[in-house]
Amino acid sequence: MTEKNDITKRTASIRKWFTMPVVEKYDNLFKDSGIDFVVIATDNQ
């Protein structure tokens, strides 16, 4: 259902554009810790 919903696609794209700099910042901060921050940030289960 959401794949055909243009508003949902647009909202997801906008969310991605604004969150990527934050993810990149924290990924850089955790780079030497052995923690994969991108996996933590994107795991929504």
Side-chain angles (χ1 to χ4, degrees), residues 3 7 9 17-20 24 27 40 42:
E3 292 176 3
I7 294 171
K9 285 188 211 177
W17 293 335
F18 286 103
T19 58
M20 285 309 297
E24 290 170 0
D27 188 37
I40 295 169
T42 58

Side-chain angles (χ1 to χ4, degrees), residues 15-32:
R15 186 182 316 118
K16 181 179 176 182
W17 293 335
F18 286 103
T19 58
M20 285 309 297
V22 175
V23 170
E24 290 170 0
K25 175 184 176 180
Y26 281 94
D27 188 37
N28 189 39
L29 288 172
F30 284 95
K31 69 181 176 186
D32 296 327

Side-chain angles (χ1 to χ4, degrees), residues 23 27 35-45:
V23 170
D27 188 37
I35 298 172
D36 189 351
F37 181 77
V38 175
V39 172
I40 295 169
T42 58
D43 183 18
N44 56 1
Q45 292 184 7

